Amino acid sequence: MDNHQSSSSTRRKLTLGLNCITLGIGYCGGPLISRLYFLHGGQRIWLSSWLACIGWPISFIVLIVGYFFRRKIQGSDTNLFIVTRQEFTSSAALGILVGLAGYLYAWGPAKLPVSTSTIIYVAQLGFTVVFAFLIVKQKLTAYSTNAVVLLMVGAGTLALRADSDRPSGEATKQYVLGFVMTLLAAASTGLALPLLELIYIKAKKTVTYTMVLEIQMILNIFGSAFCTVGMIVNKDFQAISREASQFELGEAKYYLVLVWSAIIWQFSTLGIAGVVQYGSSLLCGILIAFLLPLTELLGVLLYHETFQVTKGLAIFLSLWGFVSYFYGEMKQSQKKKEEDTIPQTEMVQTSPV
């Protein structure tokens, strides 16, 4: 029995480690490869947002493999999908919001340095806390309130030096537009996460990794459908071949950038689902908090982006906000464990001999 438990624990840790790596690839690589597309001649924002969602067949392949494993254990009556009609409908509607958030987010790499757009996107946590309070009645603590203030101030400091941080040849109006759109993307994502949590709450059943992955796939399917409509209206599909022929790195590398962009962004979806299932949402948040400064540093190193004092201050305030938020979460989690332990102890003490 002990050997079996030890083997199961080791397998769980290995799976968690693999999902942490997958999350890291997605969250660091996604913004960087999107910026690469725009730096070398790419101009299609709808196409960039479409690429962030269109990699959903990767999740589908994982689900198919998982289905055959479940079928071996549960028998021939095993359902291919486990989400209900209500969960499907809710996820589809949320997928439209995800598509909109992807479009808004694509303005960041298009108009801003990676390091700048990433810092602005940190404000997502602040929006998440506010919307979680309104939608799923999450209690606001002094730590989470402090985090919201710090994150907003951190993002706001970047607006003070817009001219010095603006890429050469780009108008101030375009830079400000990228700033505002990225902030709206953070707000949209901050709204989407509590709505996703609401879907899990309404499910009234154990949320398994398979269910999380299915919902993530549905979100991406409808998110990519939303972006497809935008691409059709904007005539992006017709422009792809022309843009490929004019791409500074060459036509073949243009298509490689598009394919890898879709793959890398999907890594973040798979990573989030795995880390939440085999670790916790708190661990997932801590990893993302760790990866944001790393992405900013990679943007400076790979694309030689400027790094002024205001950007350093924004990073400091953002990290301070994250530490404050997650420290508060850990304190709340510890308090809850203690409260759960006390009744059990009292019951043992009062039970008859």
Side-chain angles (χ1 to χ4, degrees):
M1 178 69 75
D2 290 341
N3 289 336
H4 176 72
Q5 289 179 344
S6 177
S7 175
S8 177
S9 176
T10 302
R11 194 161 53 243
R12 186 182 183 88
K13 288 178 181 178
L14 288 173
T15 307
L16 176 60
L18 180 61
N19 279 283
C20 288
I21 294 171
T22 304
L23 177 63
I25 293 171
Y27 259 83
C28 287
L32 292 171
I33 198 166
S34 294
R35 185 62 179 161
L36 180 68
Y37 164 76
F38 288 110
L39 278 176
H40 295 284
Q43 298 177 345
R44 299 286 162 171
I45 293 175
W46 275 112
L47 172 60
S48 180
S49 60
W50 182 74
L51 291 170
C53 300
I54 200 61
W56 60 263
I58 297 173
S59 298
F60 182 69
I61 292 171
V62 174
L63 285 170
I64 291 296
V65 173
Y67 165 72
F68 284 109
F69 275 106
R70 286 188 291 117
R71 186 183 171 94
K72 277 185 179 181
I73 298 171
Q74 299 173 6
S76 57
D77 294 335
T78 304
N79 293 324
L80 180 58
F81 298 107
I82 62 174
V83 293
T84 63
R85 183 177 299 178
Q86 181 182 350
E87 292 157 4
F88 176 85
T89 304
S90 301
S91 301
L94 185 55
I96 304 299
L97 178 61
V98 169
L100 174 62
Y103 169 72
L104 294 170
Y105 179 79
W107 280 84
K111 305 298 179 183
L112 306 173
V114 171
S115 52
T116 303
S117 62
T118 303
I119 296 170
I120 299 170
Y121 200 65
V122 167
Q124 170 203 324
L125 179 59
F127 288 114
T128 301
V129 171
V130 173
F131 285 125
F133 172 74
L134 297 173
I135 296 171
V136 294
K137 309 303 179 186
Q138 177 177 308
K139 293 181 180 179
L140 283 174
T141 65
Y143 297 104
S144 57
T145 303
N146 184 49
V148 171
V149 173
L150 289 169
L151 290 165
M152 296 304 176
V153 173
T157 56
L158 296 174
L160 301 176
R161 296 283 302 271
D163 289 335
S164 60
D165 188 48
R166 190 176 69 248
S168 58
E170 185 172 294
T172 303
K173 182 180 178 181
Q174 291 297 309
Y175 180 93
V176 172
L177 183 61
F179 186 99
V180 172
M181 288 295 202
T182 306
L183 196 58
L184 288 173
S188 300
T189 306
L191 173 61
L193 292 177
L195 288 174
L196 179 60
E197 184 178 350
L198 187 63
I199 292 175
Y200 294 150
I201 292 171
K202 295 288 186 182
K204 295 180 180 178
K205 62 183 178 183
T206 303
V207 179
T208 63
Y209 177 66
T210 299
M211 178 182 170
V212 170
L213 206 56
E214 286 180 12
I215 289 176
Q216 290 285 359
M217 184 183 71
I218 295 167
L219 294 178
N220 283 331
I221 288 174
F222 282 87
S224 60
F226 174 83
C227 294
T228 299
V229 174
M231 287 184 67
I232 292 171
V233 173
N234 202 44
K235 298 182 179 179
D236 279 12
F237 286 109
Q238 296 92 316
I240 289 176
S241 58
R242 182 176 68 253
E243 194 172 70
S245 63
Q246 298 171 354
F247 197 60
E248 293 175 5
L249 299 178
E251 187 170 350
K253 289 185 178 178
Y254 173 84
Y255 289 110
L256 276 176
V257 168
L258 297 191
V259 171
W260 277 107
S261 183
I263 293 172
I264 289 173
W265 276 116
Q266 197 60 207
F267 272 41
S268 64
T269 297
L270 292 170
I272 288 172
V275 172
V276 170
Q277 173 64 18
Y278 292 103
S280 66
S281 57
L282 177 59
L283 174 60
C284 187
I286 291 171
L287 282 172
I288 293 172
F290 168 76
L291 293 169
L292 287 172
L294 181 60
T295 305
E296 293 153 19
L297 181 60
L298 288 172
V300 172
L301 294 175
L302 295 176
Y303 299 139
H304 308 290
E305 297 174 351
T306 56
F307 198 86
Q308 303 96 345
V309 176
T310 51
K311 193 173 291 186
L313 177 61
I315 291 177
F316 172 73
L317 290 172
S318 299
L319 289 175
W320 185 5
F322 272 120
V323 170
S324 175
Y325 178 76
F326 289 115
Y327 179 74
E329 286 293 300
M330 286 187 288
K331 292 281 285 184
Q332 287 291 106
S333 178
Q334 185 179 0
K335 184 179 178 182
K336 186 178 179 182
K337 279 185 179 180
E338 290 174 355
E339 290 174 351
D340 291 342
T341 305
I342 291 171
Q344 293 178 4
T345 305
E346 290 177 348
M347 188 168 64
V348 170
Q349 291 175 345
T350 56
S351 60
V353 177

